[in-house]
Amino acid sequence: MSAQTYLAYDYPLLGAFWTMLILFLWIMWFILLFRIVADIFHDDGLSGWGKTGWLVFCVVLPFLGVFVYVIARGKNMGRRETNRARAQQEEFNAYIRKTAAGGSGSVDELARLSEIRDRGAITDDEFRRAKELVLSGHGPAERPGPGGSDR
């Protein structure tokens, strides 16, 4: 048999299991370390010195620093992450509402003004003034009724 074939006989199943377990725990520890560092930077309640202290502790004594941080401040890590995600979602929703309302309202208003002018209800000068009001964002223009009077 070749040397590669002997590897399967020399490396028992239990050894493969322990190797996989250690690799999994090592990767999980790195994920936890990165989440803690991100939490330290995102926490507005910590002062600059507090952030520096936690970072130095997690870098100089990595295993102990991570475990002490999880014990001391881990309870609120989830709350801070949830609040941050909720705030981002609210900002995104507000941006979508603002964008959707601003664009279509002006276009609809201009289309209505154009229809009114085409019917002859307003003059070209009134149309131009109303269009300037709509485009400047000062709200909907007052639409004169038939004969040039206000409704």
Side-chain angles (χ1 to χ4, degrees), residues 2-66:
S2 67
Q4 292 174 349
T5 307
Y6 286 124
L7 181 61
Y9 294 109
D10 291 339
Y11 198 62
L13 185 60
L14 188 58
F17 171 75
W18 283 113
T19 301
M20 297 282 287
L21 181 64
I22 290 171
L23 181 66
F24 174 75
L25 291 175
W26 187 252
I27 291 171
M28 288 303 298
W29 181 81
F30 270 113
I31 291 171
L32 185 60
L33 176 67
F34 293 143
R35 296 245 358 234
I36 286 174
V37 169
D39 187 61
I40 290 171
F41 279 113
H42 288 132
D43 189 8
D44 292 333
L46 276 177
S47 67
W49 288 107
K51 290 179 183 185
T52 304
W54 278 112
L55 284 173
V56 168
F57 190 37
C58 287
V59 169
V60 172
L61 299 170
F63 287 105
L64 185 62
V66 166

Side-chain angles (χ1 to χ4, degrees), residues 61-79:
L61 299 170
F63 287 105
L64 185 62
V66 166
F67 294 135
V68 169
Y69 187 87
V70 168
I71 291 169
R73 298 182 46 92
K75 183 177 181 181
N76 293 326
M77 277 179 70
R79 287 188 194 132

Side-chain angles (χ1 to χ4, degrees), residues 80-122:
R80 285 189 293 272
E81 183 70 27
T82 303
N83 291 341
R84 193 169 32 257
R86 189 174 293 130
Q88 286 177 342
Q89 185 66 39
E90 287 299 321
E91 288 176 15
F92 179 73
N93 290 344
Y95 172 75
I96 294 296
R97 281 191 294 273
K98 178 183 170 191
T99 303
S104 65
S106 298
V107 171
D108 292 340
E109 188 70 25
L110 288 174
R112 278 182 264 165
L113 282 172
S114 179
E115 288 175 15
I116 293 171
R117 182 190 61 180
D118 292 342
R119 284 186 306 205
I122 60 174

Side-chain angles (χ1 to χ4, degrees), residues 102-114 126-143:
S104 65
S106 298
V107 171
D108 292 340
E109 188 70 25
L110 288 174
R112 278 182 264 165
L113 282 172
S114 179
E126 291 171 329
F127 172 77
R128 183 186 51 76
R129 280 187 277 141
K131 182 173 122 178
E132 288 173 3
L133 281 174
V134 169
L135 293 178
S136 68
H138 292 328
E142 295 180 11
R143 286 185 226 127

